[in-house]
Amino acid sequence: MNRLRRARPWLGTLVEISLAADFDTPALLVAVEAAYAAIARVHVAMSVHEPASELSRLNRSAHLAAVPVSADVLTVLRAALSFAEDSAGAFDPVVGGRLTALGLLPACEVTAAPQSTWRDVLIDGDQLRFRQPLRLDFGGIAKGYAVDLAIEQLHAAGIAEAQVNAGGDLRVFGPASQRIALRDPRAPSQWSQIVELDDQALATSAPYYAAGSSPSALIDPRSGSPYAGADSISVIAPTCLAADALTKVALFAAPALLEALLEQHDAQLLIQRCAD
């Protein structure tokens, strides 16, 4: 099979696509371009750092009146709200207000109400409205969704084997399992464990490379408290969206709720302890 590997900056990280098929190189390049186009679509719609993004527009105006939303944003939002409900708020896409207050997101024109939560987000068909000013942030789920879209594009193009890796949130498919190295939480530049994925996704949350005394960007949405641990939390699941979201659930949810969600999503939890 002919093989191709490309990397581009999207989603606030480097997105790498590796693929193989019985195609010539121009055909592989067409498939890669389709995959990156799907990733770019998510970035343009859901970046909280881009004032012109659809997500930023919603955060500015959805508390004033119902606003139409795109299919991509609606899909991610419905999934995020489901994880929020099932985890009793341990995962919450309305965490953006708390992250802004901590200086972890850029300032916004609208100040989020301090007690706003996922329960303040109302969906009516393809319309979205907020009960009060708040700030949606899809940082805990959008990368996984983008990876899944890219994988769908590669499948549709007839690619036989592929891996899409967005800064550690990744998904693979092909006739054989693929070996993935996990970073050592004690020395993130080194590998500590190898896992094998067979048409599966993997996501990891950990306070790697935290800048000095800066608070972790991993926030308990209910209290606003940053994750104080140093362990690495990885989840293997059928989709990268689920794996991405479940790593945050694993940090903050009650054990019984976490266990139920892992079972519901056919997911596996891997914890790498920082201390022996």
Side-chain angles (χ1 to χ4, degrees), residues 59 62-64 94 110-117 120 130-135:
N59 284 333
H63 67 290
L64 300 174
V94 181
V110 176
T111 301
Q115 301 305 316
S116 57
T117 73
D120 294 310
F130 301 156
R131 295 183 191 273
Q132 59 183 328
L134 56 83
R135 194 171 194 187

Side-chain angles (χ1 to χ4, degrees), residues 44-67:
V44 169
M46 303 185 205
S47 173
V48 74
H49 296 276
E50 300 290 342
S53 72
E54 181 180 356
L55 185 61
S56 294
R57 175 173 59 84
L58 292 170
N59 284 333
R60 287 193 298 267
S61 59
H63 67 290
L64 300 174
V67 179

Side-chain angles (χ1 to χ4, degrees), residues 11 39 42-43 46-48 55 72-87 90-95 99 136-149 166 169-171 201-205 217-218 239-249 261 265:
L11 308 169
I39 290 167
V42 174
H43 179 98
M46 303 185 205
S47 173
V48 74
L55 185 61
D72 283 327
V73 169
L74 193 57
T75 297
V76 172
L77 181 57
R78 288 188 185 280
L81 295 178
S82 178
F83 278 111
E85 181 174 11
D86 292 343
S87 69
F91 179 95
D92 191 341
V94 181
V95 73
L99 293 172
L136 282 174
D137 174 33
F138 291 151
I141 196 169
K143 275 201 302 180
Y145 177 68
V147 169
D148 289 336
L149 287 186
D169 290 356
L170 60 91
R171 185 172 165 184
L202 169 76
T204 298
S205 286
L218 300 170
T239 68
C240 201
L241 180 149
D244 196 8
L246 285 170
T247 60
K248 288 76 181 178
V249 174
L261 273 167
H265 292 277

